[in-house]
Amino acid sequence: TPKPSSAASDVYKRQVLVFGSGGLVGSSLIRKLNNSNNFTEVVASTREDTDLFSFKSTKNTIDEIKPDCLINAAAKVGGIMANNTYRTEFIIENLKINLNILESCIDYKNIKIIIVAMDKFIVLFKFRNVDDTIAGTINKIAKGLVIPPVKYNNKDNWTRS
C-alpha cells in the first residue's frame, strides 16, 4: 500500500497520487507537492507497492486511494544505449503502464490525470481538467531539472515556453 506523506493546508481539499515517486521526476514532484499549501495529502507510490505492468495491481491502488489527482511519473528507462537499442520494447512497456492507469480510472470520472513522459524534455499528457496549480508545480520541477518547461494556457493546450 502506498504511503501518504503529509502536506499542509486546508485551502484545497485535494489528494494527489504520484506513481513513479522513487524516480528523478517523481521524487521531485513529491518534494514540491509536500511543500505546497495546495494539497491536503500527497500519496507516493513506487514499484515496491504497485506493479504498474499489472492492471489488477494498478486498479487496486487507485481503488484504495481514490485520489482527486493522479500523476504518472513512472516509466521504463535504461540510459542512452539501452534507450536506443531497445526503443520499441521501451515504448511498448511504457504504453502498458499508461494503459493500465487510464483503464483503472474509467470508473472515477473526476480524477484529474497527468502523464509525465521524458525524453530530452518533459511532455505532459493532460486528461480531464487539470488546473494551473498542478501544472505550475510541474513547471517548477521541469525548470529545476534544466528541462524546458511546459506552459498551460487555460485553453486545454500545453505549449513550450
Side-chain angles (χ1 to χ4, degrees):
T1 301
K3 305 272 188 279
S5 328
S6 61
S9 183
D10 291 329
V11 178
Y12 300 102
K13 300 290 184 194
R14 295 191 199 166
Q15 183 182 52
V16 180
L17 170 60
V18 180
F19 284 128
S21 63
L24 176 69
V25 174
S27 61
S28 296
L29 272 168
I30 293 296
R31 245 186 340 276
K32 293 285 188 183
L33 292 171
N34 276 329
N35 291 329
S36 167
N37 291 328
N38 299 313
F39 306 97
T40 54
E41 186 177 20
V42 178
V43 181
S45 178
T46 66
R47 67 179 61 151
E48 280 76 40
D49 58 66
T50 307
D51 177 5
L52 295 174
F53 294 107
S54 160
F55 171 76
K56 183 177 180 180
S57 178
T58 304
K59 178 113 172 86
N60 286 344
T61 297
I62 292 168
D63 287 346
E64 182 181 330
I65 304 297
K66 294 182 182 68
D68 300 301
C69 179
L70 185 153
I71 301 173
N72 179 30
K76 170 92 172 175
V77 294
I80 294 169
M81 181 69 142
N83 289 345
N84 284 333
T85 306
Y86 303 106
R87 186 173 297 174
T88 303
E89 291 86 344
F90 281 24
I91 290 170
I92 290 168
E93 294 296 309
N94 288 317
L95 286 171
K96 286 179 188 176
I97 290 171
N98 288 302
L99 286 172
N100 284 335
I101 290 169
L102 292 173
E103 190 174 353
S104 296
C105 290
I106 287 173
D107 294 335
Y108 300 100
K109 304 293 184 211
N110 294 323
I111 294 179
K112 295 165 177 36
I113 304 168
I114 298 175
I115 296 175
V116 180
M118 285 191 68
D119 187 5
K120 293 179 178 115
F121 49 85
I122 288 183
V123 177
L124 299 176
F125 298 96
K126 183 177 71 80
F127 297 86
R128 303 182 185 148
N129 296 320
V130 176
D131 62 30
D132 290 331
T133 304
I134 298 166
T137 300
I138 294 175
N139 274 334
K140 287 179 187 172
I141 292 166
K143 286 180 183 175
L145 295 172
V146 193
I147 297 168
V150 176
K151 279 189 178 173
Y152 176 62
N153 67 13
N154 281 332
K155 295 179 185 156
D156 282 348
N157 295 316
W158 297 95
T159 56
R160 278 283 147 223
S161 56

